[in-house]
Coordinates of all heavy atoms in Angstrom, one line a residue:
L5 N -5.5 -14.4 42.8 CA -6.4 -14.1 41.6 C -7.2 -12.9 41.9 O -7.3 -12.4 43.1 CB -7.3 -15.3 41.4 CG -6.7 -16.7 41.0 CD1 -7.7 -17.7 41.0 CD2 -6.1 -16.6 39.6
S6 N -7.8 -12.3 40.9 CA -8.7 -11.2 41.1 C -9.9 -11.7 42.0 O -10.4 -12.8 41.8 CB -9.3 -10.7 39.7 OG -8.3 -10.2 39.0
A7 N -10.3 -10.8 42.9 CA -11.4 -11.1 43.7 C -12.7 -11.2 42.8 O -12.8 -10.8 41.7 CB -11.6 -10.0 44.8
S8 N -13.7 -11.9 43.4 CA -15.0 -12.1 42.7 C -15.8 -10.8 42.7 O -16.1 -10.2 43.8 CB -15.8 -13.2 43.3 OG -17.2 -13.1 43.0
G9 N -16.2 -10.3 41.5 CA -17.0 -9.1 41.5 C -18.3 -9.3 42.2 O -18.9 -8.4 42.9
S10 N -18.9 -10.5 42.1 CA -20.1 -10.9 42.8 C -20.0 -10.7 44.3 O -20.9 -10.1 44.9 CB -20.6 -12.3 42.4 OG -20.8 -12.5 41.1
L11 N -19.0 -11.3 44.8 CA -18.8 -11.3 46.3 C -18.5 -10.0 46.8 O -18.9 -9.6 47.9 CB -17.8 -12.4 46.7 CG -18.1 -13.8 46.4 CD1 -17.0 -14.7 46.8 CD2 -19.4 -14.3 47.1
I12 N -17.7 -9.2 46.0 CA -17.4 -7.8 46.5 C -18.6 -7.0 46.5 O -18.9 -6.3 47.5 CB -16.3 -7.2 45.5 CG1 -15.0 -8.0 45.6 CG2 -16.1 -5.7 45.8 CD1 -14.3 -7.9 46.9
D13 N -19.4 -7.0 45.4 CA -20.5 -6.1 45.3 C -21.6 -6.5 46.4 O -22.1 -5.6 47.1 CB -21.2 -6.2 43.9 CG -20.3 -5.6 42.8 OD1 -19.3 -4.9 43.2 OD2 -20.6 -5.9 41.7
F14 N -21.9 -7.8 46.4 CA -22.9 -8.3 47.4 C -22.4 -8.0 48.8 O -23.1 -7.4 49.7 CB -23.1 -9.8 47.2 CG -23.7 -10.4 48.5 CD1 -25.0 -10.3 48.8 CD2 -22.9 -11.1 49.4 CE1 -25.6 -10.8 49.9 CE2 -23.4 -11.6 50.5 CZ -24.8 -11.5 50.8
G15 N -21.1 -8.4 49.1 CA -20.6 -8.3 50.4 C -20.6 -6.9 51.0 O -21.0 -6.6 52.2
L16 N -20.1 -5.9 50.2 CA -20.0 -4.5 50.7 C -21.4 -4.0 51.0 O -21.7 -3.3 52.0 CB -19.3 -3.7 49.7 CG -17.8 -3.9 49.6 CD1 -17.1 -3.1 48.5 CD2 -17.1 -3.6 51.0
Y17 N -22.4 -4.2 50.0 CA -23.7 -3.7 50.2 C -24.4 -4.3 51.4 O -25.0 -3.6 52.2 CB -24.5 -3.9 48.9 CG -25.9 -3.5 49.0 CD1 -26.2 -2.1 48.8 CD2 -27.0 -4.3 49.2 CE1 -27.6 -1.7 48.8 CE2 -28.3 -3.9 49.2 CZ -28.6 -2.6 49.1 OH -29.9 -2.1 49.1
F18 N -24.3 -5.6 51.5 CA -24.9 -6.4 52.6 C -24.3 -5.9 53.9 O -25.1 -5.6 54.9 CB -24.8 -7.9 52.4 CG -25.4 -8.7 53.5 CD1 -26.7 -8.9 53.6 CD2 -24.6 -9.2 54.5 CE1 -27.3 -9.7 54.6 CE2 -25.1 -10.0 55.5 CZ -26.5 -10.2 55.6
F19 N -23.0 -5.9 54.0 CA -22.4 -5.6 55.3 C -22.8 -4.2 55.8 O -23.1 -4.1 57.0 CB -20.9 -5.7 55.1 CG -20.1 -5.5 56.4 CD1 -19.9 -6.6 57.3 CD2 -19.6 -4.3 56.8 CE1 -19.2 -6.4 58.5 CE2 -18.9 -4.1 58.0 CZ -18.7 -5.2 58.9
H20 N -22.8 -3.3 55.0 CA -23.0 -1.9 55.4 C -24.5 -1.5 55.6 O -24.8 -0.6 56.3 CB -22.4 -0.9 54.4 CG -20.9 -0.9 54.5 ND1 -20.2 -0.4 55.6 CD2 -19.9 -1.2 53.6 CE1 -18.9 -0.5 55.4 NE2 -18.7 -1.0 54.2
N21 N -25.4 -2.2 54.9 CA -26.7 -1.8 54.8 C -27.8 -2.7 55.3 O -29.0 -2.3 55.4 CB -27.1 -1.4 53.3 CG -26.1 -0.4 52.8 OD1 -26.0 0.7 53.3 ND2 -25.5 -0.7 51.7
A22 N -27.5 -4.0 55.5 CA -28.5 -4.9 55.9 C -29.4 -4.5 57.1 O -30.6 -4.5 57.0 CB -27.9 -6.3 56.1
R23 N -28.7 -4.1 58.1 CA -29.4 -3.7 59.3 C -30.3 -2.4 59.1 O -31.4 -2.3 59.6 CB -28.5 -3.5 60.5 CG -27.9 -4.8 61.0 CD -27.1 -4.6 62.3 NE -26.4 -5.9 62.6 CZ -27.0 -6.9 63.2 NH1 -28.3 -6.9 63.5 NH2 -26.3 -8.0 63.5
A24 N -29.7 -1.4 58.4 CA -30.4 -0.2 58.1 C -31.7 -0.5 57.3 O -32.7 0.1 57.5 CB -29.5 0.8 57.5
L25 N -31.5 -1.4 56.3 CA -32.7 -1.7 55.5 C -33.8 -2.4 56.3 O -35.0 -2.1 56.2 CB -32.2 -2.6 54.3 CG -31.4 -1.9 53.2 CD1 -30.7 -2.9 52.4 CD2 -32.3 -1.0 52.4
I26 N -33.4 -3.3 57.2 CA -34.4 -4.0 58.0 C -35.0 -3.0 58.9 O -36.3 -3.0 59.1 CB -33.6 -5.1 58.8 CG1 -33.1 -6.2 57.9 CG2 -34.6 -5.7 59.8 CD1 -32.1 -7.2 58.5
D27 N -34.3 -2.1 59.5 CA -34.8 -1.1 60.4 C -35.8 -0.2 59.7 O -36.8 0.3 60.3 CB -33.7 -0.3 61.1 CG -32.9 -1.1 62.1 OD1 -33.3 -2.2 62.5 OD2 -31.8 -0.6 62.4
A28 N -35.6 0.0 58.4 CA -36.5 0.8 57.6 C -37.8 0.1 57.1 O -38.6 0.7 56.4 CB -35.8 1.4 56.4
G29 N -37.9 -1.2 57.5 CA -39.1 -1.9 57.1 C -38.9 -2.6 55.8 O -40.0 -3.1 55.2
R30 N -37.7 -2.7 55.3 CA -37.5 -3.4 54.0 C -36.5 -4.5 54.3 O -36.6 -5.3 55.2 CB -37.1 -2.4 52.9 CG -38.3 -1.5 52.7 CD -38.0 -0.4 51.6 NE -39.2 0.4 51.4 CZ -39.2 1.4 50.5 NH1 -38.2 1.7 49.8 NH2 -40.3 2.1 50.4
G31 N -35.5 -4.6 53.5 CA -34.5 -5.7 53.7 C -33.4 -5.7 52.6 O -33.5 -4.9 51.6
P32 N -32.4 -6.5 52.8 CA -31.3 -6.6 51.8 C -31.7 -7.5 50.7 O -31.8 -8.8 50.8 CB -30.2 -7.3 52.6 CG -30.8 -8.1 53.7 CD -32.1 -7.3 54.0
Y33 N -32.0 -6.9 49.6 CA -32.6 -7.6 48.4 C -31.7 -7.5 47.2 O -31.1 -6.5 47.0 CB -34.0 -7.1 48.0 CG -35.0 -7.1 49.2 CD1 -35.9 -6.0 49.3 CD2 -35.0 -8.1 50.1 CE1 -36.8 -6.0 50.3 CE2 -36.0 -8.1 51.1 CZ -36.8 -7.1 51.3 OH -37.8 -7.1 52.3
F34 N -31.6 -8.6 46.4 CA -30.7 -8.7 45.3 C -31.3 -9.3 44.1 O -32.1 -10.2 44.1 CB -29.5 -9.6 45.8 CG -28.8 -9.0 47.0 CD1 -29.1 -9.4 48.2 CD2 -27.7 -8.1 46.8 CE1 -28.5 -8.9 49.4 CE2 -27.1 -7.5 47.9 CZ -27.5 -7.9 49.2
Y35 N -30.8 -8.8 42.9 CA -31.1 -9.4 41.6 C -29.8 -10.2 41.3 O -28.7 -9.7 41.4 CB -31.3 -8.3 40.6 CG -32.7 -8.1 40.2 CD1 -33.4 -7.0 40.5 CD2 -33.4 -9.1 39.5 CE1 -34.7 -6.8 40.2 CE2 -34.7 -8.9 39.1 CZ -35.4 -7.8 39.5 OH -36.7 -7.6 39.1
L36 N -30.0 -11.4 40.9 CA -28.8 -12.3 40.6 C -28.7 -12.5 39.1 O -29.7 -13.0 38.4 CB -29.0 -13.7 41.3 CG -29.1 -13.6 42.8 CD1 -29.2 -15.0 43.4 CD2 -28.0 -12.8 43.4
A37 N -27.6 -12.1 38.5 CA -27.4 -12.0 37.1 C -26.7 -13.2 36.5 O -25.8 -13.8 37.2 CB -26.7 -10.7 36.7
K38 N -27.0 -13.6 35.3 CA -26.2 -14.5 34.5 C -26.1 -15.9 35.0 O -25.3 -16.7 34.5 CB -24.8 -14.0 34.3 CG -24.6 -12.5 33.8 CD -25.1 -12.4 32.3 CE -24.7 -11.0 31.8 NZ -25.4 -9.9 32.4
L39 N -27.0 -16.3 35.9 CA -27.0 -17.7 36.4 C -27.2 -18.7 35.2 O -28.0 -18.4 34.4 CB -28.0 -17.9 37.5 CG -27.4 -17.8 38.9 CD1 -27.0 -16.4 39.2 CD2 -28.5 -18.3 39.9
E40 N -26.5 -19.8 35.3 CA -26.7 -20.8 34.2 C -27.1 -22.2 34.8 O -27.4 -23.1 34.0 CB -25.4 -21.0 33.4 CG -25.0 -19.7 32.7 CD -24.0 -20.0 31.6 OE1 -23.8 -21.1 31.2 OE2 -23.5 -19.0 31.0
S41 N -27.2 -22.3 36.1 CA -27.6 -23.6 36.6 C -28.1 -23.5 38.1 O -27.8 -22.5 38.7 CB -26.3 -24.6 36.6 OG -25.4 -24.2 37.6
S42 N -28.7 -24.6 38.5 CA -29.2 -24.6 39.9 C -28.0 -24.7 40.9 O -28.1 -24.3 42.0 CB -30.2 -25.8 40.1 OG -29.6 -27.0 39.7
E43 N -26.9 -25.3 40.4 CA -25.7 -25.4 41.3 C -25.2 -24.0 41.6 O -24.7 -23.7 42.7 CB -24.6 -26.2 40.6 CG -24.9 -27.7 40.7 CD -25.9 -28.2 39.6 OE1 -26.2 -27.4 38.7 OE2 -26.4 -29.3 39.7
E44 N -25.3 -23.1 40.6 CA -24.9 -21.7 40.8 C -25.9 -21.0 41.8 O -25.5 -20.2 42.6 CB -24.8 -20.9 39.5 CG -23.7 -21.4 38.6 CD -23.7 -20.5 37.3 OE1 -24.2 -19.4 37.3 OE2 -23.1 -21.0 36.3
A45 N -27.1 -21.3 41.7 CA -28.1 -20.8 42.6 C -27.8 -21.3 44.0 O -28.0 -20.5 45.0 CB -29.5 -21.2 42.2
R46 N -27.5 -22.6 44.1 CA -27.2 -23.1 45.5 C -26.0 -22.4 46.1 O -25.9 -22.2 47.3 CB -26.9 -24.6 45.4 CG -26.6 -25.3 46.7 CD -26.2 -26.8 46.5 NE -27.2 -27.4 45.7 CZ -26.9 -28.5 44.9 NH1 -25.6 -28.9 44.8 NH2 -27.8 -29.0 44.1
L47 N -25.0 -22.1 45.2 CA -23.8 -21.3 45.7 C -24.3 -20.0 46.3 O -23.9 -19.6 47.4 CB -22.8 -21.1 44.6 CG -21.6 -20.3 44.9 CD1 -20.8 -20.8 46.1 CD2 -20.7 -20.2 43.7
W48 N -25.1 -19.3 45.6 CA -25.7 -18.0 46.1 C -26.4 -18.2 47.4 O -26.3 -17.5 48.4 CB -26.6 -17.3 45.1 CG -25.9 -16.3 44.2 CD1 -25.8 -16.4 42.9 CD2 -25.2 -15.1 44.6 NE1 -25.1 -15.3 42.4 CE2 -24.7 -14.5 43.4 CE3 -24.9 -14.5 45.8 CZ2 -24.0 -13.3 43.5 CZ3 -24.2 -13.3 45.9 CH2 -23.8 -12.7 44.7
D49 N -27.2 -19.3 47.5 CA -28.0 -19.5 48.7 C -27.1 -19.8 49.9 O -27.3 -19.3 51.0 CB -28.9 -20.8 48.5 CG -30.0 -20.8 49.6 OD1 -30.9 -20.0 49.6 OD2 -29.9 -21.8 50.4
D50 N -26.0 -20.5 49.7 CA -25.0 -20.7 50.8 C -24.3 -19.4 51.2 O -24.1 -19.2 52.4 CB -24.0 -21.8 50.3 CG -24.6 -23.2 50.3 OD1 -25.7 -23.4 50.8 OD2 -24.0 -24.1 49.6

């Protein structure tokens, strides 16, 4: 199937930039769009 746009966008940004952001005194931060339930939020948390 087509890959998940959410996991692709999040994964590439996090993988390449998390450490650089932390070193700069900030961090890997995200806006989560279109959620419809707490179960979807739990999925993101995992």
